Amino acid sequence: MVAILSFSTQAKPLSYYFAEDVEFDPSIPTPEQVLGYQVGEWHVRHDQLVRYMEILAQKSDRINFEVIGRTHEQRPLVMLTITAANKLKNIEQIRQAHLARLTPSNTQSSEQPGVVWMGYSVHGNESSGSNSALLVAYYLAAAQGNEINELLNNTVILLDPSLNPDGLARFANWANSNRGMNLSSDPVTREHVESWPSSRTNHYWFDLNRDWLLLQHPESRARIAKFHQWKPNILTDFHEMGPNSSYFFQPGIPSRKHPITPDENVSLTKAIANYHAKTLDENNALYFTEESFDDFYYGKGSTYPDVNGGVGILFEQASSRGHIQETVNGPLSFAFTIKNQLLTSLSTFKAAIDNRQALLDYQAKFYNQAIDLAADESFQGYVVAGAADNTRVNDFLSILQQHQINAYPLTKELKAGGETYSSNSYFVPLAQPQYRLVKAIFSEQKNFADNTFYDVSGWTLAHAFNLPFAKVTSSWGLKVADNAWQQAATPRFAQLNEGYAFGFSWDDTLAPKMLNSLLQQGVKARVALNSLTAKSANSEEVNFAAGSIIIPAGLQTNSDWIAQLNQAQNEFGIAIKPITSGLTSKGADLGSRSMAVLSAPKVLLLGGKGVSQYEAGEVWYYLDRFVGVAPTIVELERLGSIELSNYSHIVLAHGNYSGLSDADKVAIKGWVRKGGVIWGHKGGAKFLADQQLLKASYLSRKEVASAFKTDGLNYADKEHLAGRQRIAGAIFNTHVDLTHPLTFSLPRNTLPVFKNSTWLLETSEAPFVNVLTYTEQPLLAGFTDAVNVTQVAGAAGLIAHSYGRGAVIGMTDDPVFRGYWYGTSRLLSNALFFGHTFRVSGD
C-alpha cells in the first residue's frame, strides 16, 4: 500500500539522530537554525550545505574551512579539517609529521593522530550522504564530553561534505521541486524517477566515482591533490543503492580484491567492519557485507586508498531517492537513510581511535617497504615512448605526477622489449614510494583469482594514451635525467608574416581544436590527403604528413588572418610553418584536388531516454574540451522537430535508438544521402546497421554468449558463467589502416581500444572500408574469457563507407571512454573534419 504522509510526520529532530546522552554546545548553531528546516525534511542544496559548514568553522575552534577547487559549474569544493583546538593551531606541523612517518629514516611517534577522510555523495542523487554530513559536522563542532575529546585528540578528520556538488545541486532541485505537502511513497511517482540525464553524474554526465585514477575532471584533481597532502589512514565513501535493499559496508566479496592490495588491508577492513555492525545492531538496522561489491578497480573512491597505504571503506544505503518510498521492507524515509549514514560515520570514528596505531603502522610499512619490494622484482621499471603529440604525452605524465609518481626523461636511447626507445622517452622506476600504484597503472594482467568484476578489469594508462611501453629488465644502458618530468610552459613561436601559404601538423591532440578555432574565425583551410614536402623560409623544406592542414593565402578573405594564425599557434602550442611556394618537391602541389576543403563541423548529438548518459556525456566533453565544438544535444523525442540540414554531423553514442519514428529514420537517411556524416558507436553502430545505413553484419550479445558450453552446469555455476560471458572492461588491440583519413595522425599500425561489451561488428567483404580490425591475438590487458577472445579476434573495430554523397561510420567500441582514451578519441575528431573526404562503397 502506498503511504501518504504530511511534512510534519516526517520531520525528525536531532534526538532522532543522536543518542540521548550526547550533549551539545548551545553556542554552535544546529542545522535547523541555519537551514530553517530539520535535516531530512528537505534535500539540502549545495549552497546551503556550504553555508552551514562556513558558519560552523566561524563558531567552532575545532574546524578549519577551506575551498580546495571548483567544479565545472564553479561550485566550491569544500574541505573541513577538524581536530582538537590546540592541534588545529599546529595543523601544518601535524601534517608534515604524518607524512614523515612514511619515510624510512623517520623516527615514528606513538602520539601522532590518525587521519580520517570522510567523503559523501560522489553520486549526486545518492544524497543521504551529504545530508548526513550536516549532522556529522555538527557533532564534531558541538558535541561535548570525554568521547568527542578522545576523538579530537587522537585524529585529524578531513570532511568532504559533497564530492559532486553539481550533481547534488541538480538532485536537490529535482527532489524538492517534485514534493508536495503530503508525501507520496509510490515508487513510480515523478519524485522518485528522474528524467534523463540523472543527477548521479557531474556537469558532463561523468561518474566521478570512476575518476579517482583518471583525473579528467576538476573535482578529482582537487581531491587527489588534497589526498596526497595528507595520505589518510581511513577514507570513507558514502553511497546509495536500490530502495529494496538494506545497508552494505565493506569488506566486499573476499576473492575480488586487487592482487596488489596487501592482505593486511583486508584484515584492517574487517576489524573496522565490526564497529559498523555493532552500531547498526544497536539500532536494529539490517545490513550485509562480503556480497555484491568488489574492491578491485583503483579508480573508485573506496579502492584508491588501498593502493596508497590507507583503508578505503564503501558504504551503500538503500535509497529513498525522494523523501519516502515504499519498499519490500516497508516505507523507507529519507530521514532513516540519513541516520544510517550518520551512525556508520560515528562508528568509523570509534574504529579510527581504537585502531589508530595499527593503521599508522600499516601505512608506514606500506611505504617504507616499497623500495625493498621493488628490488625483489624481476625488472627495474617501465619505459614509455614519447610522441610528436606533445599534449598527449604531457597529459599522461601529468596524471602520473598528480599521483606522486616520478617519470624521468631518457638522455640516451634504450632497447627494451625488443624495441628501441628514443631519447624523447621516459623511464618510470619501480623503486619509488608509489611502487604499487606504478605496477597497477601499467598492469597487463589477464587472469585473476576471481574473474568476475563489478567494474573494469584493465585500465593500463599507457594503452589508453596509445603510448608504446615496455618493462626495463636491466639498468645497463639506462641513462635518465637527474630530475623527474615537470610540465613545461607552452612554447612561444616565431612571428608569422605574410606568405604564400602556411601549414601545421595534425599530430597534436589540440590540433583539431586549433583548426576549429581558425575555421570559426573565417580562416580558409585545406587538408592534405597525402604527404608532401614544401618549400619554407630560407630555402628550407618541410615535410607534411597526410592529414596536415594547409592554409593558402590566396583563399583568405579575412584581413586579420595572419594575426589569427599567430595567436593560434601560441595559444595551442602547435607550430605553424610558412610555405613559400605552391610547387612542392614531393607530393601534390598546393592547388591539387587532393587538398580537401575543410569546414567547421556543426554536430548534432542525440540523447534522451534510451541513450547512455555516460557515453553521450563523454562525447560532449571530448568535443567541448579537445575540439572546441559545442554540439547541439537533442533528445530522441525531439528529433522530428529539428531541421537536420543545419548540421554537418550526427553522433549516436551507445544506446537504444529503436524508438525513433519511421519518419525520423527516413529523415536521417535522406540527410546522409545529401552529404551528412553520421557516426555511431556500440548501440549507435547497431542502429546504423539495423537501418542498413552501415553496410555491416554483427554478432549480438546473445549470439556471442551462445558459444559457451552449458552442459552439466549447476545453478550455483550461474554467476560464474555470467562473468565469463561478459567483457567487463578490458583492453584489446586493433590493426589500423594508416592510409585512411579517419586514422590521420595515428603514429603506428596498431591501436589499443577499450572494450566493455560483447557486441561485435563483423568485418566487411567490401574493400577499403575496414578501418580498424582486431588483431589475431587481441587481448592486451584485463580479463576476457578465451571463448570471447576467439570471437573478437579478426572482427571489425571500425567500418566506414559512403552513403549517397554522405558517409557512415560505425565503431564497435567507445572511442572516448571515461575521457582518458586519448588514443582512440582522435578517430572521432578525424570523422568531424575528414569524414567527407573519402569515397568508397560499402557493398
Side-chain angles (χ1 to χ4, degrees):
M1 181 174 178
V2 175
I4 299 178
L5 300 134
S6 67
F7 280 1
S8 60
T9 61
Q10 286 302 293
K12 299 295 184 182
L14 285 177
S15 59
Y16 170 77
Y17 294 105
F18 292 105
E20 293 180 359
D21 60 347
V22 179
E23 295 184 2
F24 294 99
D25 181 348
S27 70
I28 304 297
T30 67
E32 183 183 6
Q33 288 171 328
V34 174
L35 301 175
Y37 58 86
Q38 292 172 336
V39 173
E41 190 175 358
W42 294 89
H43 283 253
V44 70
R45 300 195 315 267
H46 182 261
D47 61 296
Q48 294 174 312
L49 182 66
V50 170
R51 182 58 184 150
Y52 183 63
M53 299 301 167
E54 288 178 317
I55 291 173
L56 286 183
Q58 292 167 7
K59 298 292 185 179
S60 172
D61 58 3
R62 303 170 178 177
I63 298 177
N64 176 57
F65 175 94
E66 182 181 5
V67 175
I68 62 173
R70 296 273 172 177
T71 70
H72 287 293
E73 296 177 17
Q74 295 307 299
R75 288 187 174 86
L77 295 162
V78 171
M79 179 65 68
L80 275 61
T81 305
I82 306 169
T83 190
N86 64 318
K87 292 183 179 296
L88 196 61
K89 293 177 182 178
N90 301 303
I91 196 66
E92 179 58 21
Q93 293 93 316
I94 292 172
R95 186 186 71 82
Q96 291 182 10
H98 178 73
L99 294 182
R101 289 180 60 89
L102 313 183
T103 58
S105 59
N106 182 65
T107 301
Q108 299 177 10
S109 169
S110 61
E111 301 301 317
Q112 290 178 352
V115 179
V116 183
W117 179 302
M118 307 297 289
Y120 297 92
S121 298
V122 72
H123 297 140
N125 59 6
E126 299 177 5
S127 58
S128 61
S130 286
N131 282 265
S132 75
L134 294 163
L135 298 168
V136 174
Y138 174 66
Y139 172 81
L140 294 171
Q144 302 292 296
N146 293 333
E147 186 172 337
I148 188 66
N149 290 338
E150 183 184 18
L151 173 63
L152 296 174
N153 282 313
N154 285 281
T155 61
V156 172
I157 296 168
L158 306 171
L159 193 151
D160 185 338
S162 174
L163 295 159
N164 179 7
D166 294 346
L168 183 74
R170 290 206 310 276
F171 187 66
N173 182 66
W174 177 271
N176 292 335
S177 64
N178 286 291
R179 171 192 174 168
M181 287 190 296
N182 295 293
L183 305 183
S184 172
S185 64
D186 191 338
V188 302
T189 193
R190 178 176 167 84
E191 181 185 355
H192 300 139
V193 185
E194 284 184 272
S195 62
W196 188 98
S198 79
S199 49
R200 172 185 175 89
T201 50
N202 78 339
H203 174 80
Y204 283 100
W205 313 336
F206 275 67
D207 184 342
L208 289 177
N209 197 41
R210 304 299 186 269
D211 197 47
W212 287 69
L213 191 66
L214 313 177
L215 303 183
Q216 296 304 299
H217 295 274
E219 298 93 333
S220 306
R221 292 190 287 270
R223 188 169 305 122
I224 290 302
K226 179 58 68 173
F227 178 97
H228 285 293
Q229 285 181 15
W230 275 101
K231 296 191 185 295
N233 301 104
I234 297 176
L235 183 146
T236 60
D237 189 18
F238 288 86
H239 290 250
E240 292 179 1
M241 54 185 166
N244 291 316
S245 191
S246 59
Y247 196 87
F248 169 84
F249 52 86
Q250 284 178 315
I253 298 173
S255 60
R256 297 182 192 169
K257 81 170 183 68
H258 199 287
I260 290 175
T261 302
D263 290 339
E264 191 174 349
N265 173 281
V266 178
S267 300
L268 286 166
T269 303
K270 289 181 177 179
I272 293 169
N274 290 325
Y275 292 81
H276 309 317
K278 183 176 185 293
T279 193
L280 293 174
D281 286 344
E282 291 170 350
N283 285 271
N284 295 322
L286 296 174
Y287 58 88
F288 65 97
T289 66
E290 298 189 333
E291 293 179 34
S292 301
F293 302 97
D294 67 20
D295 219 359
F296 186 84
Y297 171 49
Y298 286 134
K300 294 188 295 187
S302 59
T303 51
Y304 185 76
D306 297 346
V307 77
N308 283 280
V311 176
I313 307 291
L314 171 67
F315 299 97
E316 294 273 357
Q317 164 64 49
S319 178
S320 65
R321 277 298 183 261
H323 293 85
I324 189 168
Q325 185 168 167
E326 193 65 37
T327 76
V328 296
N329 297 315
L332 178 63
S333 72
F334 187 39
F336 177 81
T337 69
I338 293 169
K339 182 175 182 178
N340 272 357
Q341 305 284 39
L342 170 65
L343 290 173
T344 52
S345 295
L346 299 180
S347 61
T348 298
F349 296 150
K350 179 62 174 172
I353 295 171
D354 291 352
N355 294 276
R356 178 181 61 88
Q357 196 61 52
L359 289 161
L360 289 169
D361 291 346
Y362 166 70
Q363 187 180 51
K365 183 172 67 173
F366 182 95
Y367 282 106
N368 293 336
Q369 289 182 344
I371 303 302
D372 291 339
L373 291 171
D376 292 337
E377 295 281 0
S378 61
F379 62 105
Q380 306 292 310
Y382 301 89
V383 60
V384 183
D389 183 350
N390 289 325
T391 297
R392 179 159 49 95
V393 173
N394 287 340
D395 284 3
F396 168 79
L397 294 170
S398 175
I399 291 176
L400 298 187
Q401 184 183 66
Q402 289 173 81
H403 291 300
Q404 311 289 295
I405 294 173
N406 291 323
Y408 296 85
L410 295 189
T411 58
K412 178 184 177 182
E413 72 175 27
L414 178 72
K415 291 185 178 180
E419 302 291 336
T420 299
Y421 289 81
S422 66
S423 57
N424 74 333
S425 301
Y426 298 86
F427 175 63
V428 182
L430 286 180
Q432 55 180 307
Q434 292 290 61
Y435 153 77
R436 290 178 178 85
L437 188 52
V438 170
K439 289 193 67 177
I441 282 175
F442 285 94
S443 174
E444 293 183 289
Q445 189 169 344
K446 299 180 178 69
N447 277 289
F448 305 87
D450 186 333
N451 286 315
T452 303
F453 301 91
Y454 182 81
D455 203 77
V456 300
S457 62
W459 55 83
T460 318
L461 284 184
H463 283 321
F465 281 76
N466 194 21
L467 295 172
F469 70 100
K471 290 181 177 179
V472 177
T473 57
S474 171
S475 59
W476 186 89
L478 176 64
K479 303 294 183 182
V480 301
D482 293 334
N483 297 317
W485 173 87
Q486 293 290 330
Q487 180 75 55
T490 302
R492 304 293 294 181
F493 299 103
Q495 182 80 12
L496 300 174
N497 300 307
E498 295 282 351
Y500 180 83
F502 298 88
F504 63 87
S505 166
W506 194 243
D507 288 333
D508 197 274
T509 290
L510 293 180
K513 192 171 186 177
M514 184 165 89
L515 172 62
N516 190 60
S517 175
L518 292 170
L519 293 173
Q520 292 283 359
Q521 294 176 77
V523 173
K524 305 297 191 297
R526 301 287 187 265
V527 57
L529 298 180
N530 299 292
S531 61
L532 60 94
T533 301
K535 296 176 183 177
S536 189
N538 301 320
S539 299
E540 293 181 358
E541 291 193 330
V542 179
N543 295 318
F544 291 97
S548 295
I549 307 303
I550 306 299
I551 304 170
L555 297 178
Q556 307 308 317
T557 57
N558 187 340
S559 61
D560 294 331
W561 72 285
I562 292 293
Q564 290 165 348
L565 297 188
N566 278 305
Q567 180 181 351
Q569 68 171 353
N570 288 318
E571 177 182 350
F572 296 101
I574 300 171
I576 298 177
K577 302 290 186 180
I579 300 173
T580 58
S581 173
L583 185 67
T584 62
S585 58
K586 292 181 182 178
D589 297 327
L590 299 198
S592 167
R593 283 176 288 187
S594 68
M595 299 290 170
V597 177
L598 294 173
S599 301
K602 298 177 180 178
V603 180
L604 181 64
L605 173 61
L606 296 191
K609 186 177 180 180
V611 178
S612 166
Q613 71 180 72
Y614 305 113
E615 299 203 16
E618 289 160 2
V619 171
W620 176 25
Y621 185 54
Y622 174 71
L623 297 183
D624 207 11
R625 179 183 178 189
F626 288 110
V627 191
V629 167
T632 297
I633 304 172
V634 173
E635 294 86 349
L636 298 182
E637 59 268 26
R638 292 200 293 129
L639 185 61
S641 64
I642 303 300
E643 180 53 61
L644 295 184
S645 62
N646 291 333
Y647 306 96
S648 60
H649 293 73
I650 294 176
V651 176
L652 309 179
H654 179 53
N656 184 348
Y657 297 86
S658 60
L660 285 173
S661 69
D662 290 341
D664 288 339
K665 295 171 185 176
V666 169
I668 289 173
K669 288 183 178 180
W671 172 84
V672 179
R673 284 195 190 95
K674 293 177 182 177
V677 176
I678 192 165
W679 167 289
H681 60 259
K682 296 174 66 177
K686 179 182 181 297
F687 170 79
L688 297 178
D690 287 341
Q691 299 305 309
Q692 299 184 346
L693 274 160
L694 186 68
K695 306 296 183 181
S697 300
Y698 61 80
L699 291 176
S700 69
R701 295 180 182 88
K702 184 176 181 179
E703 289 171 321
V704 173
S706 67
F708 287 81
K709 295 180 180 180
T710 58
D711 297 344
L713 294 183
N714 298 315
Y715 182 79
D717 300 318
K718 181 183 177 184
E719 185 178 4
H720 178 65
L721 175 63
R724 292 180 60 209
Q725 290 173 328
R726 296 176 63 211
I727 297 180
I731 301 172
F732 286 75
N733 205 13
T734 62
H735 177 78
V736 181
D737 179 356
L738 288 175
T739 68
H740 200 285
L742 293 179
T743 68
F744 284 165
S745 86
L746 294 183
R748 51 181 177 154
N749 64 2
T750 57
L751 177 66
V753 301
F754 185 85
K755 189 166 196 63
N756 59 359
S757 168
T758 55
W759 183 82
L760 288 173
L761 275 170
E762 296 183 308
T763 53
S764 172
E765 295 182 1
F768 320 124
V769 303
N770 297 307
V771 183
L772 297 184
T773 54
Y774 293 100
T775 61
E776 291 306 309
Q777 295 181 321
L779 184 60
L780 291 173
F783 170 74
T784 300
D785 191 274
V787 174
N788 282 334
V789 173
T790 299
Q791 295 186 88
V792 171
L798 188 146
I799 291 174
H801 58 71
S802 304
Y803 187 90
R805 296 200 301 272
V808 182
I809 305 165
M811 187 169 178
T812 308
D813 305 302
D814 178 2
V816 287
F817 179 71
R818 292 185 179 165
Y820 81 114
W821 273 83
Y822 280 48
T824 50
S825 64
R826 179 49 67 91
L827 298 166
L828 181 55
S829 54
N830 284 354
L832 297 186
F833 292 101
F834 311 145
H836 65 290
T837 65
F838 58 88
R839 303 293 304 163
V840 57
S841 172
D843 296 315

